[in-house]
C-alpha cells in the first residue's frame, strides 16, 4: 500500500489546476467551475494551534466551522465568519471516545466525535453543499473517509483537503487492504488530485512516518 501511495502522489496530478491559491497552510483550486466564493461553506477538522486556513477562508467571506476536541476549548466564535466546535470527526457518533495518544495528546482525553452527516444535521446544513472540507486529524481520516464514501455525503462536497497518515503503531498493517479500498473508493466518487505536499516519507521496519497533504476537486459534483 505504501509503495502504491508513493507512486500515486508523485505522478502527474489528475487535475491540472491553473489557479492554486494558498489559504493559510492549505491550498484551494480557484479554476471554474471549482472556484470558491461567497456564499461558501467550509468545514475544517483539526486545528491544533494553526488557524491560518480557517481565518483565510473566513476573510474570503465563507461561513467556516472549525472542529478540534484536542485543544481544550469550548464552542466559541473566533470571528463573525469562523465558528469553533469542541468535537471531532470520525465514522461514528460518540460522546465518550477515548483519544489515541500521540504528539498532540499526552494524557487520557475523552472526546465527542461525530460523523460529517451528523454535523451537517446539527448545524442546519443537511441539504447544503460543503464548498471545502478540510480533514487533518492524525489517522482518524481513514474511518472518516470510509463513512463519507458510504454515506453519500461526498456528493455534496466540492473540494476535499486531507492529510493522510500512516504511522508505525497505527493503523495496523492488517488493515491496509481496507484502507486501500477506502482510498480507491474516494477516487471512484470523482475526487481528482490537484496538489500533493509530502511532510514525511520515512519507511523502514523500525520507523514508519508517512504523511502528506493531498488536495482534491470533485469532478462528479452536480450542484451549483
Amino acid at each position: 500500500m505504501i509503495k502504491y501511495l508513493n507512486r500515486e502522489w508523485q505522478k502527474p496530478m489528475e487535475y491540472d489546476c491553473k489557479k492554486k491559491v494558498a489559504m493559510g497552510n492549505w491550498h484551494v483550486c480557484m479554476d471554474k467551475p471549482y472556484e470558491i466564493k461567497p456564499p461558501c461553506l467550509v468545514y475544517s477538522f483539526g486545528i491544533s494551534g494553526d488557524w491560518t486556513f480557517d481565518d483565510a477562508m473566513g476573510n474570503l467571506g465563507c461561513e467556516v466551522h472549525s472542529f478540534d476536541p484536542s485543544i481544550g476549548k469550548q464552542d466559541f466564535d473566533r470571528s463573525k465568519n469562523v465558528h469553533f466546535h469542541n468535537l471531532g470527526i470520525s465514522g461514528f457518533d460518540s460522546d465518550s471516545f477515548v483519544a489515541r495518544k500521540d504528539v498532540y495528546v499526552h494524557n487520557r482525553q475523552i472526546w465527542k466525535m461525530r460523523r460529517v452527516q451528523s454535523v451537517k444535521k446539527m448545524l442546519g446544513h443537511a441539504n447544503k453543499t460543503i464548498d471545502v472540507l478540510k480533514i487533518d486529524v492524525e489517522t482518524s481520516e481513514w474511518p472518516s473517509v470510509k463513512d463519507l464514501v458510504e454515506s453519500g455525503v461526498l456528493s455534496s462536497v466540492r473540494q476535499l483537503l486531507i492529510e493522510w497518515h500512516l504511522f508505525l503503531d497505527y493503523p495496523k498493517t492488517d488493515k491496509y487492504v481496507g484502507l486501500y479500498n477506502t482510498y480507491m473508493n474516494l477516487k471512484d466518487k470523482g475526487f481528482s488530485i490537484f496538489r500533493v505536499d509530502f511532510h514525511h516519507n520515512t519507511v523502514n521496519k523500525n520507523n514508519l512516518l508517512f504523511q502528506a497533504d493531498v488536495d482534491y476537486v470533485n469532478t462528479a459534483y452536480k450542484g451549483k
Side-chain angles (χ1 to χ4, degrees):
M1 177 178 170
I2 296 170
K3 289 181 179 179
Y4 171 82
L5 292 179
N6 250 322
R7 292 194 302 269
E8 175 78 7
W9 295 339
Q10 295 188 44
K11 72 182 186 183
M13 296 297 95
E14 295 164 342
Y15 176 76
D16 181 17
C17 179
K18 304 300 184 183
K19 193 176 182 181
K20 293 186 285 287
V21 177
M23 290 292 178
N25 57 334
W26 292 83
H27 288 72
V28 296
C29 182
M30 289 296 194
D31 293 358
K32 294 182 178 181
Y34 307 109
E35 182 182 9
I36 308 300
K37 59 184 178 181
C40 39
L41 178 63
V42 176
Y43 282 9
S44 174
F45 289 92
I47 307 299
S48 188
D50 191 342
W51 291 89
T52 54
F53 169 77
D54 307 66
D55 290 342
M57 298 307 296
N59 291 336
L60 183 65
C62 296
E63 176 184 345
V64 181
H65 292 272
S66 310
F67 308 84
D68 195 326
S70 74
I71 62 177
K73 294 183 180 294
Q74 297 305 310
D75 296 3
F76 73 97
D77 292 330
R78 179 172 170 84
S79 67
K80 68 175 184 178
N81 288 336
V82 180
H83 314 285
F84 175 78
H85 307 273
N86 180 27
L87 57 84
I89 184 179
S90 191
F92 52 84
D93 293 337
S94 174
D95 290 340
S96 57
F97 176 77
V98 179
R100 170 181 171 271
K101 292 183 180 180
D102 58 21
V103 295
Y104 300 105
V105 179
H106 305 288
N107 303 312
R108 189 174 188 271
Q109 295 185 16
I110 305 298
W111 294 347
K112 180 185 292 186
M113 306 293 279
R114 292 291 185 268
R115 305 166 71 196
V116 171
Q117 66 179 21
S118 300
V119 173
K120 292 186 72 177
K121 183 178 180 180
M122 177 186 78
L123 296 178
H125 299 155
N127 297 316
K128 288 191 174 183
T129 290
I130 301 175
D131 293 279
V132 183
L133 173 57
K134 188 215 83 181
I135 302 174
D136 182 2
V137 290
E138 307 303 308
T139 71
S140 287
E141 68 274 7
W142 292 105
S144 300
V145 171
K146 183 176 186 293
D147 181 65
L148 283 166
V149 170
E150 294 176 350
S151 68
V153 171
L154 284 176
S155 63
S156 63
V157 174
R158 296 178 66 218
Q159 295 192 35
L160 176 65
L161 317 179
I162 186 165
E163 186 169 89
W164 295 104
H165 304 79
L166 292 173
F167 296 132
L168 187 62
D169 64 327
Y170 187 85
K172 300 297 185 183
T173 54
D174 62 359
K175 303 295 184 184
Y176 278 11
V177 171
L179 302 185
Y180 172 82
N181 289 335
T182 291
Y183 182 83
M184 292 306 297
N185 287 338
L186 176 65
K187 295 165 68 67
D188 289 343
K189 293 295 183 181
F191 283 81
S192 297
I193 299 170
F194 70 87
R195 185 178 182 273
V196 173
D197 180 19
F198 275 97
H199 291 283
H200 300 284
N201 191 356
T202 301
V203 181
N204 59 59
K205 66 179 181 179
N206 297 315
N207 187 19
L208 171 59
L209 185 55
F210 194 65
Q211 191 172 346
D213 293 346
V214 183
D215 304 334
Y216 302 82
V217 292
N218 182 2
T219 61
Y221 180 72
K222 302 298 184 183
K224 65 181 180 183

